[in-house]
Amino acid sequence: MAIEHDYFGLLSSGPDGSIFWSERVDLGDQSVTVDLTAPDQDDVSIDALDIAAALISGLEDVDATARRSMLSELDDRTSEVTEYILQQQEEFGDQLAEVLVDVSGDDAVDIIRSLTLVSMTLLVDEHGGNDPFAVLEYMLDAGGADDVLLVNLASDGSVLSVMSGD
């Protein structure tokens, strides 16, 4: 079986019924990997695909929303964003300024501004559910450390959570 969509084209399912689509999308001077996946195509609606297409088309706004959410967590010393910032400061030490795109003197803000959006995974079977519909993966040094911040979005584009990972 397959699903046809204006943006994604023909989405064929694998032998197990799952669907997968992948593309590289430009975001400014970055290239972001976008993956769309669902374990069972029967759980995928056209509405979910329309929302996924809108998130991809509006990636700049989605990125801005995610970064604002990260910034809002800086006041909480126990947040995973704060922990990530401290980890990056420790890891890079005196060389931190070399990986920052803008140095204002506020390391936390500068690190968030300097994060590279590496990928966006769209879990289209989660449309309308409580689990993330989209996961954005950010790294400070895409060529180096394995430490990432993951921003989980609901199908309405709102931020559910920000987590660190590796």
Side-chain angles (χ1 to χ4, degrees), residues 42-60:
D42 293 338
D43 295 336
V44 177
S45 68
I46 294 299
D47 285 345
L49 294 174
D50 289 345
I51 291 168
L55 289 174
I56 295 168
S57 297
L59 190 55
E60 190 172 321

Side-chain angles (χ1 to χ4, degrees), residues 8-166:
F8 300 105
L10 188 63
L11 295 170
S12 298
S13 61
D16 60 353
S18 65
I19 61 170
F20 182 79
W21 176 91
S22 186
E23 192 77 33
R24 302 245 352 132
V25 176
D26 291 331
L27 176 65
D29 61 352
Q30 300 177 47
S31 181
V32 180
T33 300
V34 178
D35 295 327
L36 178 139
T37 185
D40 187 347
Q41 83 167 20
D42 293 338
D43 295 336
V44 177
S45 68
I46 294 299
D47 285 345
L49 294 174
D50 289 345
I51 291 168
L55 289 174
I56 295 168
S57 297
L59 190 55
E60 190 172 321
D61 292 333
V62 171
D63 177 53
T65 298
R67 289 177 195 266
R68 279 192 302 275
S69 180
M70 287 183 242
L71 286 169
S72 73
E73 292 195 19
L74 291 177
D75 292 337
D76 181 357
R77 290 199 156 299
T78 62
S79 77
E80 294 202 33
V81 174
T82 301
E83 290 295 321
Y84 180 85
I85 300 294
L86 294 172
Q87 183 181 23
Q88 298 308 301
Q89 288 173 317
E90 183 178 320
E91 184 174 324
F92 286 100
D94 293 338
Q95 283 75 40
L96 181 61
E98 294 173 20
V99 296
L100 299 176
V101 295
D102 185 25
V103 179
S104 70
D106 184 338
D107 284 352
V109 171
D110 294 343
I111 288 171
I112 290 172
R113 284 185 190 152
S114 300
L115 291 171
T116 299
L117 176 56
V118 178
S119 69
M120 176 167 68
T121 303
L122 298 158
L123 308 162
V124 292
D125 59 313
E126 296 298 339
H127 173 49
N130 294 327
D131 290 328
F133 181 80
V135 179
L136 305 174
E137 179 182 354
Y138 289 90
M139 297 178 82
L140 181 58
D141 182 16
D146 293 333
D147 304 319
V148 298
L149 275 177
L150 302 171
V151 179
N152 297 309
L153 303 177
S155 53
D156 66 0
S158 64
V159 176
L160 295 172
S161 63
V162 181
M163 308 177 329
S164 59
D166 47 350

